[in-house]
Structures are given as C-alpha cells and as structure tokens.
Amino acid sequence: MRGLAGAGGTASPSSLAFTQCEGAAEWESLAGSHGSYEVVVDALFGTGLTRPLEGAHARVVEHIDALRSARMGGARPLIVSLDLPSGLDADRAQPIGPAVRADITVTFTAPKPANVLPPASRFNGRLYTADIGSPRALLDASPSRLFLTEAEDARAWLEATRYAPGSYKNSHGHALVVAGSRDMTGAAVLCASAAMRAGAGLVTLAAPASILPAVAARLPAEVMTAPLSETPAGGVAFEALGEVERLSERATVVAVGCGLTREHESTRRFVRELIARRTKPVIVDADGLNALAPWPSELRGTADAPVILTPHEGEMLRLMGARDRSALEDRARAVSEFAAGHRLVVALKGERTLIAAPDGRVLVNATGNRGLGTAGSGDTLTGIIAGFNAQAYATLKGQADAVAATAAAVYVGGLAADIAAAEVGVRALSASDVRERMGAALLALDPEGETP
C-alpha cells in the first residue's frame, strides 16, 4: 500500500518519512500517532480500480474523511489526490463505493471520466491536469469520444469570430427567435435578449400577435419584433408557419420553443413542420422539444442545416421515449448514441452540461454553478447558443461548425454565471444576471478581441 505523506509529527518541514503498512493494524497505529497534518496526499489508487475499497484501504478513506470533517475554519489539512480520488472507477460517473473527497485533484496527461462527470466529479475538488510527458501522438490516436471543453477552446472560437474592422450588423448574423405565449412572455424576452447580448448582429423576436406589445415593452430597444398567427389560447398557431418561413429567409439561424406551450395540437404541428422544412440551422428548446417527443425517427440533422437541441434531463427522457430515469444513468453514452443516431447536436443541460455531436463525440462543459437551477436559465442559454451560431454561420460561412459554436456558447454562458455568482452569490443568482455578465466573460477570455 502506498501511504499518506504529511508535514507534521516529529519530522522537519524539509524531510519525508515513509512507513509501509502491511494491513489495517499497522495503518491504525500510524494514523493514531499523528495529531495533525498540513497536507494529505492521496495516492492509494489511480486508474484501474473497478471494485469498492475494503479492508485497510477503506479504513484509510474513513480516516481522511474524519480529518476533513474535523478541520476547523480552514483548509488544514489540504487533501490532494493524485490522478483521481482513491475509491473511484476512472471510467464511471457513478461512485462504486467509499472514496476520498479531495480539495485538489492533480490528474495526469488528460482528465478521466470520473474527473469530470458527476456525481463522481464532486469528489475531485479543484481539478488540475499535469503533463507528465505522454507522447502527443498517443493522445491523438486515443479512441476516446469524451472531451473536456477548456478556456482555450472557447477562446479559439471567439478569436475566429472576432468583430473585424469594417464589419457591420449583417456581418455578425441574424438570429430569429420564435418564442412566447400568453402565459409565458418572460421566456421570449430572456431568449431574445440573450441572443443580442451574445453578439448577434441582428435579433428578431417573432411571437403571438396578442402578446407582442407586452413583450416588446420589456425587450432591449435593439431587438426587432414580428407578430404571428395564434391559437385561441395565445400560442403560436400552425398558420404561422408561412410567416416564420418568410422571416427566416433574412435570418442566419432560427431558435424555437421557449415559452411556446404544448397544449394545442396546432402549436405542435407548427414546430414539427418548421423543423422538417428548415433551410437554416435551428435551435430547439423547451416546448419545441416537447412537440417533437418522442423524436421522429425520420427527422435528422444535416451539415448545412443542423438541428441543435437543448434539453434538460426530463425533456431528454421524453425525446428518447424512455420510461424512467435509468435510461440516463450513463448520460454521456445516452446522449452520444441519441445525437449520432439522428445526426443532431444535443446540449444536455445539467450539473455538467454535455454537448454531443452528430459523430458521437461528447464535450463536457466545466463552467457554471448550482445557482443556474432557477427559472429562465434555459431560455437564456438558448439565446446565447442562437447568438453564437448566428455569428459562426455569418462570419465563418462554409467553415462554420455548430458543435464548436454551441460548446463555446455553453462555456461562455457558464463563465458569465460564475462571474455573477462571485458577485451576488448562488442563491440570488438569476438568469438576467447571467445575460448581464456576458460582456465580462467575453473580456476575460479574449481581451484583445473585445477591447476597442
């Protein structure tokens, strides 16, 4: 057994003492002889563990947990795990038994699934990746389809789509947002406002005619509006399909679903036909997703007109036609298979949002916080995704990548939420706070491109 290294007891700060434990008795003797530690280094197990810890190893984890629970008003001892907290299966998101709860995890070469996928990732604390000299060619040849989105990825996308000298509103794309109903006007406002703040050159909000005056009064002055035919209940009617198709001729991307309601078959028919007949990239959220559940087997995304879905777990289960939550026990595998099976881009929202590509790749987003579990966060994210994709397809033309744009949008939106939470706390965090910190997030990632 590899043991714990700590500064304390009789050893001087510049020395290390190593003791080999043959079993639980030796461990108990060692653990009981030291009153305090500055640092505990957990190096019991790395990758390769596939069954729960037991015996002396389980006792070590119990001892570390007791040290963590007993620390008073500070970070002593600091608990540092190497590669991943001992007790986790590196390839599984679900813990398999008792495991070390670290303050810091230093993983080697590249993160493992347990480092980034909850609930196992909750044991990691702050995660760092250490380069230990693994050949880059071996990493590139790895069969892994799971990736962690990093600041450098979002920064590269921002640099590629920078506002250039001489550019103007049409250079940065036009997002058409189809949203809202009589009982859910706020969703339309949040989505369209976020698309504007995300950097789209133009944003048009198309909503049921009767609610448009109330919605327009709460929109930024820069957002244009268009009335749509509506159902008796105040939702978008099927008859609005032609109206939206005419509006979309001038748009770069279309976002549909926020606050639409799903109570009327006319609205559901509208959504299904709009997606089936699309000629532009389309982002689908909320009741737009519910109108398509379970997902029609014949409806598939294409390279020229990708379909980007933004479900939370309940909506994802309905899209899959699943009977219970066990279908998402392995979220990464489930969303990968669904996206690949229908050639879609899927941003599965949650504690760690997963972006699945039509080729089965899955990108794990590490920004954002628990304060996002509040009303309007999904509508705001849809607007940010729409704004980023509008810029991508206007700026990059044939080189635009819906997966990259969506991953960048999720990362920047999460970073904006983290900046907001640092200012107001997670309890008071609102979706509008996220929108208002988009500028700060963009500046943090690409100060050169965002500074006049």
Side-chain angles (χ1 to χ4, degrees):
M1 177 193 301
R2 285 180 289 172
L4 297 170
T10 60
S12 67
S14 61
S15 67
L16 289 172
F18 294 91
T19 303
Q20 182 170 338
C21 299
E22 300 294 342
E26 290 85 356
W27 162 252
E28 293 296 344
S29 175
L30 175 65
S33 65
H34 293 76
S36 64
Y37 301 92
E38 296 288 343
V39 179
V40 173
V41 178
D42 158 38
L44 285 172
F45 289 93
T47 58
L49 185 69
T50 58
R51 63 182 183 179
L53 297 180
E54 56 187 24
H57 300 109
R59 302 286 280 276
V60 172
V61 173
E62 291 174 7
H63 183 73
I64 295 175
D65 193 50
L67 289 173
R68 181 186 183 91
S69 299
R71 57 190 184 184
M72 300 290 292
R76 292 183 56 189
L78 183 71
I79 300 170
V80 181
S81 289
L82 303 184
D83 216 11
L84 76 161
S86 294
L88 297 177
D89 180 336
D91 295 323
R92 294 182 61 179
Q94 294 294 330
I96 58 174
V100 171
R101 290 188 177 273
D103 299 305
I104 294 172
T105 296
V106 181
T107 194
F108 305 135
T109 303
K112 287 68 181 173
N115 290 134
V116 297
L117 296 176
S121 60
R122 299 171 195 161
F123 289 77
N124 286 269
R126 188 179 295 273
L127 180 67
Y128 296 92
T129 302
D131 184 355
I132 57 173
S134 302
R136 186 69 208 181
L138 292 180
L139 292 177
D140 293 340
S142 169
S144 175
R145 308 296 286 165
L146 189 67
F147 301 88
L148 179 66
T149 303
E150 298 180 302
E152 288 74 13
D153 301 309
R155 184 176 299 112
W157 186 89
L158 292 173
E159 291 174 352
T161 57
R162 281 175 175 171
Y163 276 34
S167 64
Y168 64 109
K169 57 189 179 183
N170 288 322
S171 304
H172 313 301
H174 184 173
L176 172 63
V177 175
V178 183
S181 60
R182 187 171 300 162
D183 296 329
M184 290 188 283
T185 58
V189 173
L190 289 167
C191 184
S193 301
M196 194 83 243
R197 187 54 62 92
L202 293 162
V203 177
T204 297
L205 172 61
S210 66
I211 71 167
L212 207 53
V215 169
R218 298 154 61 191
L219 283 171
E222 298 85 356
V223 176
M224 299 177 288
T225 59
L228 297 178
S229 300
E230 60 187 285
T231 67
V236 176
F238 177 74
E239 288 73 21
L241 181 61
E243 299 162 5
V244 171
E245 288 181 327
R246 285 190 292 274
L247 290 169
S248 68
E249 291 174 2
R250 297 185 292 111
T252 312
V253 302
V254 179
V256 60
C258 297
L260 279 190
T261 78
R262 51 175 168 164
E263 295 182 356
H264 204 287
E265 177 59 27
S266 181
T267 303
R268 294 192 288 271
R269 286 179 58 211
F270 163 80
V271 172
R272 292 194 292 265
E273 284 299 312
L274 178 65
I275 306 304
R277 293 163 55 169
R278 75 195 184 282
T279 58
K280 305 285 176 68
V282 63
I283 300 96
V284 191
D285 187 33
D287 285 322
L289 298 170
N290 292 323
L292 294 162
W295 187 262
S297 59
E298 72 280 2
L299 189 55
R300 298 166 68 85
T302 64
D304 294 334
V307 179
I308 304 162
L309 310 183
T310 62
H312 57 56
E313 290 197 359
E315 291 161 345
M316 189 71 218
L317 288 168
R318 288 192 285 274
L319 288 170
M320 295 167 64
R323 295 178 178 270
D324 55 59
R325 291 191 173 275
S326 64
L328 283 178
E329 184 175 1
D330 187 340
R331 294 172 75 240
R333 180 185 297 275
V335 73
S336 172
E337 292 177 351
F338 185 85
H342 302 289
R343 309 301 295 171
L344 305 169
V345 180
V346 183
L348 176 57
K349 294 176 287 194
E351 183 177 345
R352 289 283 173 90
T353 295
L354 305 179
I355 299 93
D359 61 8
R361 287 175 296 134
V362 176
L363 285 65
V364 183
N365 185 70
T367 60
N369 58 76
R370 60 190 183 278
L372 287 171
T374 188
S377 293
D379 305 313
T380 297
L381 178 60
T382 297
I384 297 170
I385 292 173
F388 272 45
N389 274 279
Q391 293 172 78
Y393 280 88
T395 304
L396 304 176
K397 307 297 183 182
Q399 301 302 312
D401 181 347
V403 176
T406 301
V410 174
Y411 189 95
V412 176
L415 180 58
D418 291 338
I419 293 171
E423 296 178 18
V424 305
V426 295
R427 192 184 303 268
L429 183 66
S430 70
S432 296
D433 292 326
V434 176
R435 180 186 69 242
E436 294 306 313
R437 270 67 172 194
M438 281 294 295
L442 293 167
L443 272 167
L445 287 167
D446 184 24
E448 181 179 347
E450 296 300 317
T451 302

